[in-house]
Amino acid sequence: MKLKIDDRIEEVLKSFKLPDPIGFGTTLAPIMITCDFKEGQWGVPSLLPYGPIQLNPTAKVFHYGQEIFEGMKAYRVSKKGPYLFRPLENFKRFNLSAKRMAMPYISEEIFMETIKILIDKVSPFIPDQSGDSLYIRPFMISTEDHLGIAPSKEFKFIVVASPSASYFQQAKPLSVFIEREYVRAVEGGTGQAKTGGNYASGLVSSIKAERLGYSQTLWLDAEKKEICEEMSGMNLFIVKNGNLVTPALTGTILEGITRSSLIRIARDHNIEVQERSLSLKELIQGIKDGQITEAFACGTAVILKSIASFGEEDGTVYKIQSKESEYNYQGKRVRGQIGAFLKEVLLNLQEGQLEDPYGWRVKVPSSVDTDHKIIKNYDQEASLNC
Ligand code: COI
C-alpha cells in the first residue's frame, strides 16, 4: 500500500510527551491518518501530524450526519506487543455500518495497514499498565460540499489514537437509569450501525441520568418499552441463577466485539450463556427476589464494569444483592464473581498475559508490512451510492 508521509512526522513524534494522568480519550497521539474518497474511489492515504482538518460549512456531515466510526485498542502491557484484539471484526463492522449509512466500503488493506502504521509509530507512547491501552478511533465522514439531501459523493477516512487509561475513572460500580421516555433505536433503524447519531440522540438521557445521580442509561425497545436492549456505548449482561443472560441481537443493538468475546470465554468455562429477550419485568423481579446476583456493562472502551443497581426517574432503586457463582477454571469447579473472572481472562488475552487459543490477538509488526490475511469472499461492492 502506498502512503504519503508528511515531513513533520518524526519531529512531532520526538517532541510528544505523555501527560500524567492520561485519562480516557483526552490525550491524542501527535499523528493521524487521512484518506479521501472522490470520483468513486479511495485515494492514497496520508500520515499527518494530528491537527484540525478543513471542511466547508456545507460539508454533508455537518447537516445530515452521514458518519460512522469504530473503537479499537492496542495493548503493550509489560513491554509485550503492541497487540490488536480481533481487528478484523472492527473492519467488518465498519463496512456494515458504511452499508447502512449509504457510505462507500473501505478495503481491508487501507483499514488495517493504516491502523498498524499508526500504532507502530506511536508504540513508545502506549501506556503499559494493565487496563491502559492506545484507544484507536477510525472514522469516516461525508465531505461533499452540498446542501441537497442525498448521499455524499465524497468522504474522508481518518484514524486518530489516544493513549488512554480506564474509561471510567471511578472504581465504584455503575448505577443505571432505566430510560422509559426516550428510545435509542427502532426496528429497521440504525441501532446496529456504529454511527454518531445513535450516540447523539442518547445524550439527552445521559443529562437526565446524571442529574438524578445515575451513571449510565439502560435503553428499552422502542415498540413497547418492555425489553432491555443496551446501554449507551455498552452491552448488558446479567447473572441469573448462575447463568449469564444478555439481550439477543435483534437488529436494534450494536453487536459488541467484547460482548461476543465474553460469550465465547464464558461458554468455554462451562458457564451457560443465554442470548435472549430480557424483559425489564424479569430484570426488576430477578433483582428483588435475589435470582439476579450480578450485572455488568461491557465494550471496547469500558472493557467490563459491574453494575450495582438499576433505578427509575422517581428515585426507586433496585439494588443487586451480589453473590458468587460456580464455574470451571483449569479443570476445577471454583466459586466467584463471574464478571470479575471474565474480565480477568479477557484482559489477559488482550494484553498477552495468557496463551490465546482463539487467535484473537494480532501482533503489530514493527516495520509494518502487508502480512495480515486478506478476507476472501468478503462482500466488497465498490460503493453503494457513489
Ligand atoms: C467503544 O467502546 O469503543 C465505544 O465506541 C463506546 C464509547 C462509549 C466510547
Side-chain angles (χ1 to χ4, degrees):
M1 185 194 70
K2 284 192 193 143
L3 179 75
K4 290 185 240 164
I5 303 181
D6 189 285
D7 291 342
R8 296 163 295 169
I9 291 298
E10 293 312 321
E11 187 190 314
V12 293
L13 284 168
K14 219 187 280 166
S15 50
F16 182 75
K17 297 233 163 4
L18 267 186
D20 185 21
I22 47 176
F24 177 88
T26 46
T27 305
L28 270 304
I31 57 173
M32 65 181 185
I33 296 283
T34 68
C35 185
D36 290 326
F37 182 91
K38 275 190 183 132
E39 291 165 9
Q41 57 183 347
W42 288 102
V44 175
S46 301
L47 181 63
L48 300 169
Y50 176 86
I53 52 168
Q54 231 187 6
L55 292 177
N56 282 314
T58 48
K60 286 191 187 252
V61 65
F62 296 135
H63 305 271
Y64 309 124
Q66 210 184 359
E67 186 271 356
I68 57 169
F69 68 95
E70 271 302 319
M72 306 164 74
K73 280 179 173 174
Y75 307 85
R76 207 177 63 100
V77 175
S78 315
K79 307 275 182 283
K80 291 187 196 134
Y83 298 116
L84 279 164
F85 186 70
R86 309 186 71 186
L88 281 175
E89 299 307 310
N90 294 94
F91 163 69
K92 288 190 244 175
R93 193 171 64 182
F94 195 71
N95 275 339
L96 283 175
S97 301
K99 185 170 189 171
R100 178 63 185 84
M101 298 304 290
M103 297 170 88
Y105 287 114
I106 195 156
S107 71
E108 185 186 344
E109 187 179 37
I110 295 179
F111 188 90
M112 289 298 178
E113 292 308 303
T114 55
I115 287 170
K116 286 182 179 177
I117 288 163
L118 189 72
I119 295 170
D120 179 32
K121 291 274 180 204
V122 303
S123 160
F125 313 121
I126 304 180
D128 59 6
Q129 295 291 309
S130 180
D132 294 354
S133 59
L134 180 74
Y135 184 76
I136 302 151
R137 179 52 69 84
F139 64 106
M140 195 203 301
I141 52 172
S142 49
T143 52
E144 191 191 344
D145 186 16
H146 190 260
L147 286 177
I149 176 70
S152 181
K153 290 190 169 56
E154 294 175 7
F155 297 87
K156 200 181 262 297
F157 172 67
I158 305 179
V159 188
V160 294
S162 169
S164 288
S166 313
Y167 184 75
F168 289 111
Q169 307 300 310
Q170 82 276 22
K172 68 174 193 306
L174 303 176
S175 58
V176 176
F177 170 55
I178 301 166
E179 176 58 82
R180 291 180 186 261
E181 182 187 2
Y182 301 112
V183 293
R184 175 188 172 274
V186 298
E187 232 181 278
T190 59
Q192 216 177 1
K194 207 157 169 66
T195 180
N198 291 342
Y199 298 78
S201 69
L203 295 176
V204 66
S205 179
S206 68
I207 295 172
K208 199 160 56 156
E210 200 180 325
R211 181 168 41 80
L212 295 164
Y214 300 106
S215 42
Q216 268 299 306
T217 289
L218 171 65
W219 296 106
L220 304 176
D221 72 290
E223 201 192 342
K224 296 198 171 138
K225 298 195 188 137
E226 285 174 357
I227 308 296
C228 301
E229 297 218 314
E230 64 172 285
M231 285 157 291
S232 308
M234 294 157 215
N235 291 116
L236 170 70
F237 280 85
I238 58 160
V239 176
K240 185 177 179 190
N241 299 324
N243 301 321
L244 268 183
V245 180
T246 190
L249 302 171
T250 53
T252 53
I253 297 175
L254 189 86
E255 187 170 350
I257 296 160
T258 308
R259 174 188 179 279
S260 72
S261 307
L262 292 176
I263 291 173
R264 180 70 198 270
I265 295 168
R267 287 190 173 139
D268 287 354
H269 289 87
N270 276 22
I271 298 165
E272 186 182 317
V273 185
Q274 300 167 6
E275 288 181 81
R276 62 170 171 83
S277 171
L278 171 66
S279 71
L280 183 59
K281 211 164 143 200
E282 179 183 352
L283 177 75
I284 294 172
Q285 193 52 46
I287 295 174
K288 282 184 180 165
D289 64 23
Q291 288 190 66
I292 294 177
T293 50
E294 285 180 59
F296 55 85
C298 71
T300 300
V302 67
I303 312 171
L304 188 153
K305 183 86 181 162
S306 67
I307 297 171
S309 59
F310 293 82
E312 310 272 5
E313 189 148 10
D314 67 4
T316 310
V317 170
Y318 314 107
K319 193 170 165 0
I320 297 170
Q321 300 150 49
S322 152
K323 248 192 11 224
E324 294 185 334
S325 307
E326 277 195 5
Y327 51 87
N328 277 14
Y329 186 56
Q330 293 180 335
K332 282 194 214 125
R333 207 73 188 137
V334 293
R335 287 190 71 78
Q337 292 284 322
I338 289 182
F341 167 69
L342 292 177
K343 181 176 180 181
E344 192 184 320
V345 176
L346 178 72
L347 256 183
N348 283 339
L349 281 170
Q350 291 172 325
E351 294 175 346
Q353 324 273 25
L354 200 66
E355 203 196 317
D356 174 13
Y358 308 108
W360 286 345
R361 202 161 55 220
V362 175
K363 176 109 171 25
V364 177
S366 61
S367 63
V368 177
D369 53 24
T370 51
D371 69 345
H372 67 272
K373 224 172 102 236
I374 302 285
I375 299 179
K376 301 253 166 40
N377 305 324
Y378 186 71
D379 181 14
Q380 289 277 5
E381 276 169 49
S383 79
L384 288 172
N385 297 287
C386 307

